[in-house]
Amino acid sequence: KAGVTQTPRYLIKTRGQQVTLSCSPISGHRSVSWYQQTPGQGLQFLFEYFSETQRNKGNFPGRFSGRQFSNSRSEMNVSTLELGDSALYLCASSITYNSPLHFGNGTRLTVT
Amino acid sequence: SQKIEQNSEALNIQEGKTATLTCNYTNYSPAYLQWYRQDPGRGPVFLLLIRENEKEKRKERLKVTFDTTLKQSLFHITASQPADSATYLCALPDPGNTGKLIFGQGTTLQVKP
């Protein structure tokens, strides 16, 4: 079975721009979660989707949004990028909530 | 709010020894606890899940304990190898049973040959 795939792997953007990150979960997994990882804050939960519905949202500003498609693939969008948004963005899928997470290798976003 | 504490200092041990990592939590009693391994530049990889009614769980050279009285989990790697060098993260479910997983900051393990 293919693992969780995240694209792109690396991204460099300028302040004020917006960015869209993509995640393809493991086949059969209906839950997709997004996390932001920085050296100072560690892994911070962004949001979780199940069957195209956002079930949970972390404490991030409204500039961070996401969606899930009928095939369980998910995207997250960050608008009006700030320097502090530079981080590793990780997507994880699971069969259902409360199941172990299977992470992709992330998208490294650098905002200049 | 839920707080998870892992040793922030790196743990350096000699090959062949047992590595023991600690995860302490406060403010509630989780139904389970998970451990993940993360290598530089890669996403975390799930290792073990232990439930509140399980005192101990093993998988090959890995052993996890869960003491709900002390609010602590210990993660042991026996006969450690340089390939075990990585950051190890513990994670607990959000107290609101939302399905959200909260991660500790992780402990970096360095196994020297």
Side-chain angles (χ1 to χ4, degrees):
Chain A
K1 242 184 193 178
V4 176
T5 304
Q6 291 189 246
T7 56
R9 191 80 172 87
Y10 301 93
L11 209 48
I12 300 175
K13 290 286 187 178
T14 304
R15 268 180 302 176
Q17 288 186 313
Q18 76 165 16
V19 67
T20 299
L21 312 181
S22 180
C23 172
S24 292
I26 291 173
S27 177
H29 286 195
R30 296 168 64 188
S31 173
V32 174
S33 300
W34 288 88
Y35 286 81
Q36 180 196 66
Q37 187 173 35
T38 58
Q41 298 296 317
L43 273 160
Q44 300 287 308
F45 175 81
L46 281 158
F47 25 67
E48 186 246 346
Y49 289 87
F50 186 87
S51 294
E52 302 179 65
T53 301
Q54 185 184 87
R55 289 198 300 195
N56 295 295
K57 192 175 192 304
N59 296 324
F60 279 82
R63 299 184 297 106
F64 292 81
S65 63
R67 59 178 175 168
Q68 186 182 32
F69 302 96
S70 58
N71 60 359
S72 292
R73 192 177 69 84
S74 178
E75 289 181 347
M76 68 163 281
N77 184 278
V78 188
S79 61
T80 319
L81 284 165
E82 300 177 359
L83 294 178
D85 297 333
S86 295
L88 180 66
Y89 289 88
L90 291 160
C91 167
S93 73
S94 60
I95 292 173
T96 173
Y97 93 117
N98 283 340
S99 299
L101 298 179
H102 299 262
F103 283 88
N105 285 325
T107 294
R108 171 73 63 186
L109 172 66
T110 302
V111 182
T112 63
Chain B
S1 62
Q2 176 59 25
K3 189 174 180 182
I4 303 172
E5 291 182 349
Q6 294 186 255
N7 287 346
S8 57
E9 292 183 15
L11 179 63
N12 296 299
I13 65 168
Q14 206 65 36
E15 182 177 8
K17 300 292 186 184
T18 296
T20 299
L21 286 68
T22 305
C23 176
N24 295 302
Y25 59 92
T26 60
N27 294 343
Y28 89 114
S29 299
Y32 61 86
L33 184 147
Q34 300 181 22
W35 283 89
Y36 290 77
R37 167 186 172 140
Q38 187 173 24
D39 292 283
R42 303 183 73 86
V45 174
F46 169 74
L47 295 175
L48 283 166
L49 181 152
I50 186 166
R51 301 191 185 282
E52 60 181 337
N53 61 347
E54 297 175 312
K55 294 290 186 187
E56 179 182 299
K57 201 154 192 180
R58 293 175 184 261
K59 179 183 176 183
E60 297 171 354
R61 294 184 296 111
L62 309 180
K63 184 179 86 171
V64 173
T65 63
F66 194 8
D67 189 325
T68 55
T69 302
L70 291 178
K71 294 189 184 297
Q72 180 181 80
S73 175
L74 298 178
F75 177 82
H76 306 272
I77 306 176
T78 58
S80 60
Q81 305 165 0
D84 295 326
S85 299
T87 296
Y88 292 86
L89 303 152
C90 71
L92 286 83
D94 176 67
N97 197 32
T98 60
K100 180 172 77 174
L101 210 55
I102 303 169
F103 285 82
Q105 293 273 45
T107 298
T108 298
L109 172 67
Q110 188 72 35
V111 181
K112 298 180 180 179

